[in-house]
Amino acid sequence: MNEKFAYAIFPDKITNVCILGQIHITSFFLENIMASQVELHLICNAHLDPYWQWEWEEGAASAVSTFRAAADCCEQSGKLIFCHNEALLYQWIEEYEPSLFARIQKLVKEGRWHIMGGWHLQPDCNMPCAESFIRQIRIGRDWFRDKFGIDPTTAINFDSFGHTRGLVQILKKSGYDSDIVCRPNSTACPLPSTLFTWVGYDDSTVSVMRTPEGYNSPLGGAVEAINKRAEQNVQDKVPLSLRLWGVGNHGGGPSRQDTKELDAYIAGETVNGMTKPENVTIKHSTPETFFAAVKKSGMDLPRVERDLNSFAAGCYTSQIRLKQKNRQLENELWATEKMLAAACMAGRLSWPAEDLAAVMRDLATAQFHDILPGSSIQSVEDAGIRLFDHGLEILSRLKARAFFALSAGQPAPVEGEIPVLLYNPHPWPVEGVWECEFMLADQNWKDEFTIAEVCQGDTVFPTQMEKEQSTLALDWRKRVVFRATLAPSSMNRFDCRMTILPERPTPQLKPENGAFCFDNGTLRVRINTLTGLLDSLQVDGKEKIKAGACRLLVMRDNEDPWGMQVDRFGDLEGAFSLLGREEGSRFSGLRPGNQLESVRIIEEGAVRTVIEAVFGFQNSRAVVTYKLPAKGTEIDVQVRVYWNEKDKMLKLSIPTTLEGGAWCTQVPAGVEALRQDGSEQVIGHWVMASSGDEALSITNDSIHGIDCHQGELRLSLLRSAVYCGHPIMERPIAPQDRFLTRIDQGERVFSFRIDAGKTEDLRNRAEMIAAVSGQKPMALSFFPAGIGKPLPDGISLSDPSVQMMACGKSRNKGEWMIRLYNPTAEEKTASMCIPALGINHAEVRLGCFEIKTLVCKENGGIIETDLLELGPLN
């Protein structure tokens, strides 16, 4: 096939068509092309952001008005089909105007109104985790099935700012065979065609249409927009395509004028000087009808094996608190469900379905594509934080309920000992450093210091005491830190034996030759006392970084929170530098006359050494804390920033010795390669730089932006754009006649874990680190009564590289859902045990990057289902 012929069928881009191979053209297409027949499907919709430049109440009001007008048009026009998605909007209609909801139900039965998409709403499609996407789909589809008896098969995410490739598997296993997207456009994301087969990391496929015109048409301009598409299709000899139309963004949909003019235009009449081209069939349609026509045509679509990014790369960082709260609520929800499942399987609790459903609605709503990306007004940011916090508050109570139920059967403590209980929600043993605070039996007003020794029977674990969260100059409140291995899916019991010292121990490590030099036998670290930066990180004698790591870089930026007009933030404005002794002491809050070095050791013991450094840049300050382990290779870095800049971006720089290797990041249901060209990219829970056998990984707690260039990882932390500052032509983004509030001013805290070692080992370890640091084992000092039966062993998997994404009550009574995920590119086999259900050593095979949903019966039976647990996987 020559390029001209290929372009006639796929007019978006010819890029890479030759590499993809010839496109098979069926007799249907050959006949239509030869006869110049063109079929254009019209998808009438009214894109309506429930939140954006307005709060949800205005979004609800607009939904009611828009749906009422759309129902009027459907009832008055004999052919119009109105299509709309997002369960949240329909729920508002049902609650606030029930009579309109009844009209819509009637129109749906008559085929005049089409439920499309089926999700709760259109979320951001890059930053939520895979389990969040599954739940977003499930709660939406369940609601539509209950109210309308509808299960859409085409997903709709018109307005999301890019799409992770991991969505393909999720869509396929949730009952979808197709998807319609609008972003990014062909300039930002060149594709071989507007219509293509999207291939997931696990080789799943769905058909996708990327519409070149977007999702709207102007009021009174529907005929002009559709005529332009029809004429272009005739010119390019495109036999089959679709056009989205209807007023949108703040609702609107089909106007009476547009509907009347369009009916006349389709019938062949001349409207406003425009007549439908000959041999063009235009029909009111639905997404499912369009993709059915594509399937019937037998088109052999080009395969696209990449993510659909990027657009609005600034959104990976804007309004960072929303991203932090999102990650926190995701992790808390999955961990709490696992704890509740263990307690319920053991007969200690009843499953709190309503409470968990409320939390999931909070999470799904707050992941909306104008909330989570940070492109909304300030009051919507506040609303998003309220949603996250509401979910977190519910979970805090459910988690405590589960914890106390799971602690039943623990023996009463020995006199003088203080018990510490930790519940590990993961299905494999976890070695780590754990922290817990507790009170001594009484206040000690002497100048003494009480320390703890953490034990299990005769086994004593490496332990140290660190400063507690409170600030009382009294030997009373304690914070114990210890290293131990936790059994899988189980309550782990430790006991603290107390000793009184004459005074609190002081750190012994001293700087040498301008640096703190740390060596635990495997890991060697050098922190420069003149700069506060990490100058060396060696594992087994292999250097992984260049001098000056953990420098805070300040990049030039502008007022646009989307970053619509840029694909990178590479223009360096300056960098934070170590504060002088006097300024550093003043910033640290010391009394006048008291001074400290700006790089200092604040904790030291058998578990770790903790070093902090204080920095400044113009109006901003930062504290960087390094936690260096007495065992192992994992360094924790905490960055606490007091940000007060305008039109700037803040990045954390990690220059490595691994330039030119294969760099990658975790993303939902996959691993994506990182470009090393300085462009801004979206990341997940970890990134890894590798060259040959040597690698370095960085796990994060909340960020999603990065750029990579010349061996340097630059992690994006903060921006300082205005709220909802949308570029419009050449006009200034922000008015220049007043004060404007900026995003992310004030205190923000970020946590990272840097690890290094061999490439193959490090990737599996990065997944485990991300899972455990996200879904942390719950620790609590609690004195059990010593009554009740001990719990059976918890869920376990023999292969620690296989993750348990979720565990909870299934749809059917007496059944439990367990969702497993293989985060590697190799097939895995794991043996699964669930003693509470009588399941012993059930073998589970998972393909590369496969998500597998298992429904386990209380009699020991196991079946694999689709992701929504609606039936066996096809």
Side-chain angles (χ1 to χ4, degrees):
M1 177 185 298
N2 61 43
E3 290 192 357
K4 183 176 180 182
F5 188 52
Y7 184 77
I9 300 168
F10 302 110
D12 188 25
K13 283 285 180 180
I14 196 65
T15 309
N16 295 330
V17 164
C18 296
I19 296 174
L20 289 165
Q22 291 190 344
I23 301 169
H24 174 67
I25 306 299
T26 65
S27 59
F28 169 89
F29 259 50
L30 288 174
E31 290 169 4
N32 275 355
I33 291 170
M34 297 302 291
S36 299
Q37 292 290 335
V38 172
E39 185 173 289
L40 180 58
H41 290 243
L42 303 184
I43 311 297
C44 179
N45 76 106
H47 177 66
L48 201 169
D49 293 318
Y51 301 78
W52 182 30
Q53 298 178 73
W54 47 84
E55 297 181 59
W56 75 266
E57 294 90 345
E58 186 175 340
S62 181
V64 172
S65 299
T66 295
F67 280 28
R68 189 190 303 126
D72 291 344
C73 286
C74 287
E75 290 165 350
Q76 293 166 9
S77 170
K79 299 179 181 178
L80 176 68
I81 304 173
F82 181 69
C83 304
H84 215 285
N85 59 324
E86 296 184 300
L88 178 63
L89 302 183
Y90 287 84
Q91 290 165 13
W92 285 341
I93 305 302
E94 183 181 32
E95 182 173 358
Y96 302 131
E97 196 162 316
S99 61
L100 173 58
F101 189 75
R103 290 171 64 194
I104 293 171
Q105 287 180 312
K106 182 175 183 292
L107 287 167
V108 169
K109 289 180 180 179
E110 294 172 352
R112 309 293 306 286
W113 186 302
H114 182 74
I115 304 296
M116 66 178 182
W119 295 22
H120 179 65
L121 44 64
Q122 292 186 50
D124 177 84
C125 286
N126 275 311
M127 292 181 279
C129 70
E131 185 64 26
S132 284
F133 285 120
I134 295 168
R135 304 294 182 94
Q136 175 82 229
I137 294 169
R138 174 172 172 160
I139 63 175
R141 286 176 72 104
D142 282 358
W143 193 85
F144 281 121
R145 189 182 309 109
D146 178 56
K147 301 295 181 178
F148 294 94
I150 298 294
D151 275 306
T153 58
T154 299
I156 301 295
N157 284 295
F158 295 158
D159 203 23
S160 300
F161 307 154
H163 310 263
T164 177
R165 186 179 171 193
L167 274 174
V168 180
Q169 178 183 184
I170 294 169
L171 291 173
K172 192 72 172 183
K173 292 183 176 179
S174 298
Y176 292 93
D177 59 17
S178 48
D179 191 12
I180 300 177
V181 303
C182 297
R183 294 194 176 104
N185 64 21
S186 59
T187 301
C189 180
L191 298 173
S193 164
T194 57
L195 187 58
F196 56 92
T197 296
W198 197 15
V199 185
Y201 296 107
D202 70 328
D203 213 35
S204 294
T205 61
V206 294
S207 300
V208 177
M209 177 71 184
R210 178 176 68 180
T211 63
E213 304 97 344
Y215 46 75
N216 289 337
S217 61
L219 181 63
V223 169
E224 182 179 356
I226 290 163
N227 184 70
K228 182 178 179 180
R229 168 48 51 200
E231 289 181 342
Q232 190 69 49
N233 286 357
V234 170
Q235 178 182 326
D236 295 335
K237 298 182 180 178
V238 179
L240 181 61
S241 69
L242 66 78
R243 178 61 161 94
L244 303 173
W245 74 280
V247 179
N249 280 330
H250 195 262
S255 68
R256 290 183 177 86
Q257 175 189 352
D258 281 325
T259 302
K260 182 179 179 181
E261 291 180 350
L262 195 52
D263 283 346
Y265 174 80
I266 292 173
E269 299 178 22
T270 299
V271 178
N272 300 328
M274 294 170 286
T275 306
K276 179 172 66 70
E278 295 182 5
N279 299 324
V280 174
T281 301
I282 299 178
K283 60 174 68 175
H284 292 292
S285 190
T286 70
E288 282 78 4
T289 301
F290 170 74
F291 280 105
V294 171
K295 184 176 181 180
K296 182 179 179 181
S297 75
M299 295 172 65
D300 189 6
L301 304 179
R303 290 167 63 90
V304 172
E305 300 183 19
R306 56 160 293 177
D307 61 356
L308 305 183
N309 283 312
S310 60
F311 170 77
C315 282
Y316 307 151
T317 304
S318 292
Q319 296 183 22
I320 196 67
R321 286 186 301 169
L322 293 168
K323 288 131 175 95
Q324 293 175 325
K325 290 286 186 180
N326 175 68
R327 188 80 65 85
Q328 183 185 4
L329 183 54
E330 285 182 330
N331 283 319
E332 283 296 295
L333 178 52
W334 319 143
T336 301
E337 286 182 340
K338 292 169 188 177
M339 293 176 67
L340 287 165
C344 292
M345 286 181 190
R348 303 288 173 87
L349 289 178
S350 297
W351 186 253
E354 291 187 7
D355 285 339
L356 291 172
V359 175
M360 191 58 238
R361 285 193 298 271
D362 289 336
L363 178 60
T365 302
Q367 289 176 335
F368 178 62
H369 67 260
D370 276 315
I371 297 181
L372 184 55
S375 53
S376 64
I377 57 176
Q378 188 172 14
S379 58
V380 170
E381 179 189 34
D382 294 340
I385 291 171
R386 284 199 307 273
L387 283 167
F388 286 126
D389 283 343
H390 180 255
L392 288 168
E393 179 59 30
I394 295 172
L395 288 179
S396 71
R397 301 175 188 212
L398 295 179
K399 194 172 186 180
R401 189 187 305 170
F403 187 92
F404 287 115
L406 291 165
S407 67
Q410 290 286 328
V414 174
E415 182 69 27
E417 295 185 350
I418 297 177
V420 170
L421 277 62
L422 284 96
Y423 187 84
N424 173 18
H426 303 283
W428 12 258
V430 174
E431 182 183 6
V433 173
W434 317 114
E435 305 172 8
C436 186
E437 292 200 6
F438 55 82
M439 304 300 292
L440 296 178
D442 197 5
Q443 302 170 6
N444 181 3
W445 286 76
K446 298 179 181 179
D447 291 333
E448 299 173 334
F449 189 76
T450 303
I451 63 171
E453 185 179 62
V454 176
C455 309
Q456 271 185 345
D458 294 332
T459 302
V460 180
F461 298 93
T463 310
Q464 71 186 62
M465 310 305 292
E466 294 186 355
K467 186 192 176 305
E468 60 282 356
Q469 293 187 69
S470 59
T471 307
L472 274 70
L474 192 63
D475 189 32
W476 186 24
R477 180 74 174 169
K478 292 294 169 179
R479 184 179 189 86
V480 66
V481 179
F482 62 101
R483 174 178 285 276
T485 299
L486 307 182
S489 302
S490 299
M491 187 66 76
N492 293 261
R493 166 72 174 270
F494 302 90
D495 294 292
C496 298
R497 298 167 186 166
M498 316 309 295
T499 302
I500 299 178
L501 302 180
E503 59 183 7
R504 181 175 186 143
T506 57
Q508 299 301 304
L509 183 65
K510 304 297 181 184
E512 298 178 3
N513 301 318
F516 283 111
C517 298
F518 176 87
D519 188 342
N520 69 9
T522 302
L523 172 71
R524 297 183 65 188
V525 171
R526 177 184 172 88
I527 296 174
N528 192 317
T529 56
L530 301 179
T531 66
L533 304 177
L534 195 60
D535 277 355
S536 177
L537 191 165
Q538 297 181 19
V539 173
D540 294 328
K542 298 283 188 178
E543 184 63 71
K544 306 294 184 180
I545 66 168
K546 297 176 183 178
C550 296
R551 188 187 306 274
L552 290 166
L553 305 179
V554 180
M555 321 303 293
R556 291 188 181 92
D557 199 352
N558 66 10
E559 305 99 326
D560 170 15
W562 286 270
M564 287 186 176
Q565 299 168 321
V566 299
D567 70 345
R568 64 195 63 219
F569 301 91
D571 195 357
L572 183 64
E573 172 89 4
F576 280 65
S577 59
L578 191 69
L579 293 175
R581 182 184 173 97
E582 182 177 347
E583 175 60 22
S585 298
R586 183 164 51 248
F587 167 64
S588 300
L590 274 61
R591 290 179 176 178
N594 291 346
Q595 291 192 3
L596 281 175
E597 298 296 337
S598 290
V599 184
R600 59 255 183 168
I601 294 181
I602 58 172
E603 305 288 355
E604 187 181 47
V607 179
R608 61 192 181 191
T609 298
V610 182
I611 299 174
E612 73 175 14
V614 291
F615 301 87
F617 173 84
Q618 294 183 2
N619 299 315
S620 301
R621 297 291 181 266
V623 183
V624 177
T625 305
Y626 306 94
K627 297 181 180 180
L628 312 176
K631 176 186 176 183
T633 58
E634 301 166 13
I635 300 174
D636 287 335
V637 178
Q638 183 189 80
V639 180
R640 184 180 297 271
V641 183
Y642 298 84
W643 184 242
N644 195 30
E645 306 302 321
K646 310 291 187 291
D647 299 338
K648 305 290 189 296
M649 172 183 263
L650 184 65
K651 286 178 172 279
L652 179 69
S653 168
I654 310 291
T656 76
T657 59
L658 305 166
E659 183 176 355
W663 293 21
C664 61
T665 179
Q666 179 268 350
V667 294
V671 172
E672 185 70 24
L674 286 171
R675 301 183 300 277
Q676 298 178 51
D677 60 359
S679 61
E680 193 75 2
Q681 301 164 76
V682 65
I683 61 172
H685 298 189
W686 57 261
V687 296
M688 190 169 79
S690 62
S691 182
D693 290 338
E694 301 300 322
L696 177 142
S697 71
I698 305 174
T699 306
N700 70 82
D701 70 339
S702 60
I703 69 164
H704 289 281
I706 196 172
D707 76 80
C708 311
H709 188 53
Q710 296 181 344
E712 182 182 16
L713 295 157
R714 300 197 300 190
L715 302 146
S716 302
L717 308 186
L718 291 167
R719 300 184 67 216
S720 50
V722 299
Y723 283 92
C724 204
H726 197 303
I728 304 291
M729 298 186 290
E730 299 301 320
R731 301 167 189 167
I733 295 173
Q736 300 299 299
D737 62 348
R738 69 196 64 219
F739 170 84
L740 291 174
T741 304
R742 299 297 182 119
I743 65 173
D744 284 322
Q745 303 294 283
E747 183 181 20
R748 302 289 184 270
V749 183
F750 306 87
S751 295
F752 303 93
R753 180 163 290 178
I754 302 174
D755 196 7
K758 297 300 180 183
T759 301
E760 186 174 348
D761 295 337
L762 198 59
R763 181 172 294 183
N764 288 338
R765 206 154 71 228
E767 286 285 352
M768 284 191 68
I769 291 171
V772 175
S773 61
Q775 297 176 41
K776 295 180 177 67
M778 181 178 175
L780 185 66
S781 177
F782 171 59
F783 288 73
I787 58 176
K789 295 181 179 179
L791 288 174
D793 291 340
I795 300 171
S796 65
L797 294 170
S798 61
D799 188 337
S801 65
V802 175
Q803 294 189 6
M804 183 167 68
M805 286 175 58
C807 178
K809 197 70 173 164
S810 181
R811 291 179 181 274
N812 300 321
K813 186 177 180 180
E815 297 179 349
W816 294 90
M817 183 278 294
I818 295 176
R819 190 156 17 251
L820 304 180
Y821 171 55
N822 172 15
T824 75
E826 298 82 35
E827 291 187 359
K828 296 286 184 179
T829 300
S831 175
M832 181 175 70
C833 296
I834 313 177
L837 301 183
I839 296 173
N840 295 302
H841 303 292
E843 189 174 272
V844 182
R845 291 187 174 88
L846 296 103
C848 66
F849 301 114
E850 182 182 4
I851 301 171
K852 182 163 288 192
T853 303
L854 304 174
V855 171
C856 305
K857 301 179 183 294
E858 292 183 349
N859 61 8
I862 301 176
I863 59 169
E864 182 180 357
T865 73
D866 61 22
L867 295 181
L868 309 184
E869 306 160 55
L870 293 174
L873 187 66
N874 294 327

